[in-house]
Amino acid sequence: MFTLPLVHSNDRKYKSKTKQLISSALLLALTSFSLSAQDTTAELEDSKTNLFTAEDIFQLEYVTDPQVCPDGEFVAYVRNSNDIMSDSTKSNIWLAATDGSSHRPLLSSKKNYYSPRWSPNGKRLAYLSNEEGKPQLYIRWMDTGQTALITNVTSSLGNITWSPDGKYIAFTMSVDAKEEPLKIKMPAKPEGANWSPKFEYITKARYQRDGRGVLDPAYTHIFIVPTEGGTARQLTSGNFNHGGSLSFSADSQRIYFSAYRADDWEYQSVESDIYSVDMSGNIEQITNMPGSEHSPVVSPNGKYIAFAKRDEKNLMYRNHYLYVMNTDGTEAKNLTESIDNTVSDFYWKDNASLYFQQSVRGLIQVDMVNLSGKVRNIAKGIGGTTIGRPYVFGSYHAVDDVVAYTKGSTDRPADLFVTTRKEKQLTALNEDVFGHKTLGEVKEIIYQSSIDGEEIQGWYILPPNYDSSKKYPLILEIHGGPSLAYGPLFTAELQRMAAEGYIVFYDNHRGSTGYGERFALLLQGKYSSEYDFADHMSGVDALIEQGLVDPEQLYITGGSAGGIASAYAIGLTNRFRAAVVAKPVINWLSKVLTADSGLYQIPNQFPGKPWEQVEHYWKRSPLSLVGNVTTPTMLITGVEDKRTPMSETEQFYQALKLQKVDTVLVKVPGSSHGIAGKPSRMIAKVENILAWFEKYAPKTE
């Protein structure tokens, strides 16, 4: 700051001096302003480089599938990273000491290594890898690092399980069925003739699957292979699927599994029983209760089988409980009857207690229950294994008192944690990416739905460098399922939106899991409807009332069930400036007869078959409201999607065009339902959403 002398207006000497001082002051002021502007520009550039960018998605890593060594000293886990050159997620196996003293790669290269499983004595580690082409089973000797290729099969393996004596590994694999529906006599093709390909025949009710397309006739069977080398041998037989987790008897002579071995198996969506098969292939049925019994786990002493059970009611959601019975199937007892959530992933701590996990209000926790049904908590906050959107998914493994699990946070994907009596973090995989980044802060919001007062839990992400004196544009992002849930977890897609200056709001509307069976069933027969719409809009209005959001800058998006809800919402309101509807159902009458999930959805979500309940199906369809839509809408779906087929999206696109609504159809080549399954697709998805919303943002002078 400069102070000029007071002078008389007629004093020439002082006037000249004053002019010099003024000129100097102005020059210094202009120089100071220029430097200040440069500093401000530099600060703005720095703040931009400190934000989460699209390129950062390629740098993310996260932990899955932790496996505690039998002596509890080490945890093998799968370290997932994105490869920018191959546009894929690579899986390697790393080893961490449970006391935190060491952390090193065990199997690491540009090939994939996954599904680590310790031998009973901890001296060997089985795993799957595509090291030599198709995925095969390998075993590594931990003392020497020597490895052996154990299988040479042509189909993908799953559910690899050691026998207690360490002599065998059991696994599941698909086996082609040689079925010819018709005997066709074609004339002989002359040598060198170029005929059209042979006709393809479809005879099964379950004839397609998302990610695999139209299925060749095949059934899943159980195999065993000697751990010291040999030929894999098929144990189960018959034209049925034998799958899920496997568990050996204590004497290694039988394998327990789940299946539904009845002629009408294709039409039964909620039925399965527990069976066993011996080393000669003799199959014995253990349970025969209404509903689904699955995921058997034999106790260490061989006396009991723990398993999951769901009742037989045809509803869109039912709790799965933890049961224990004798190995002959008698005296089945529900140990988690007092828990109003689905429980899963069982491990025996000893012969009298088991670990399990459940989702509770947006996060997973590990609990323990004894044979009397007494429950206590072991670990909380598990999740962080879906880096795109904040779904409540995570995994854990337990041996004796050692529990290892994946745990993320709002600003980090899943790392590896372990607990005995005190929690310890063993990895920090993303500090190189986020150590210098500013992410949007995630805050919880609890509110009541305007339609009936139901309590709804949600979260919103503030833009980085949030200014409380401003009001921000808002993106409402709706989760899929609908029997799934979001949580306070890291999300690359939503953080990218926040980095571009949006408040991003997401909620666990009615129908979400982790809030009890009653809440999950509030969407029974109402998917989608004005009820879940009210759940979303009540949260939007709550944020507006708090002064956070500009009510004139609202945007909406969602995928799968969230795409259905987004399409339905813009048929009920014109409050959104623009919408992006991803992989939606638009017409339930056509969807359930063209998608791979119709055999499940028709009996469990609807009161009857489509031609019997036309009015109900139509009322639930966003297409029924298309005449009301004025919101500019982008549609995006994978070309190979079998879960919500492209024909659904195309119906909505054509209808919106007929209504002269501004719309664009984005097709994702080569993609099935998971359009963000490759890193570049995740980036393209979110950047298309942001570009569409930017197109309809208010124009500033």
Side-chain angles (χ1 to χ4, degrees), residues 271-446:
E271 284 289 341
S272 64
D273 298 299
I274 292 174
Y275 293 81
S276 72
V277 60
D278 66 18
M279 298 301 101
S280 298
N282 299 307
I283 296 174
E284 179 183 351
Q285 184 169 351
I286 307 299
T287 66
N288 188 23
M289 295 180 272
S292 174
E293 299 92 59
H294 59 93
S295 305
V297 186
V298 178
S299 63
N301 62 9
K303 291 183 178 181
Y304 307 110
I305 300 174
F307 63 99
K309 177 163 177 54
R310 175 209 196 272
D311 67 28
E312 76 282 10
K313 294 181 181 178
N314 288 125
L315 295 169
M316 66 187 299
Y317 175 84
R318 301 301 287 166
N319 283 337
H320 292 236
Y321 295 98
L322 168 56
Y323 276 68
V324 169
M325 64 182 175
N326 297 325
T327 52
D328 62 2
T330 60
E331 299 184 22
K333 179 183 179 182
N334 185 353
L335 298 185
T336 59
E337 189 174 8
S338 62
I339 295 176
D340 187 15
N341 275 317
T342 284
V343 301
S344 63
D345 298 323
F346 315 135
Y347 299 103
W348 287 91
K349 179 182 182 298
D350 47 40
N351 292 308
S353 56
L354 298 105
Y355 295 102
F356 65 90
Q357 73 173 34
Q358 61 169 318
S359 170
V360 181
R361 297 185 67 83
L363 288 171
I364 295 171
Q365 65 186 47
V366 175
D367 296 321
M368 184 189 294
V369 62
N370 63 23
L371 296 184
S372 298
K374 184 178 180 180
V375 177
R376 66 183 179 93
N377 178 250
I378 302 299
K380 291 185 176 181
I382 294 153
T385 58
T386 56
I387 62 173
R389 292 182 284 165
Y391 280 110
V392 184
F393 290 124
S395 58
Y396 85 101
H397 183 245
V399 172
D400 294 329
D401 291 319
V402 181
V403 183
Y405 45 94
T406 62
K407 184 174 181 178
S409 61
T410 58
D411 60 358
R412 298 291 188 276
D415 273 302
L416 178 62
F417 284 71
V418 67
T419 185
T420 52
R421 293 178 178 83
K422 185 178 180 181
E423 183 176 80
K424 182 181 297 182
Q425 183 173 351
L426 299 183
T427 67
L429 302 186
N430 290 284
E431 295 312 304
D432 56 334
V433 181
F434 293 124
H436 61 288
K437 295 284 184 179
T438 301
L439 296 177
E441 183 181 2
V442 179
K443 291 182 172 290
E444 182 186 48
I445 181 171
I446 305 292

Side-chain angles (χ1 to χ4, degrees), residues 199-216:
F199 289 5
E200 296 179 356
Y201 298 90
I202 296 174
T203 62
K204 299 297 182 185
R206 299 187 187 188
Y207 68 92
Q208 61 178 337
R209 185 176 302 167
D210 186 64
R212 292 178 57 186
V214 175
L215 303 173
D216 291 327

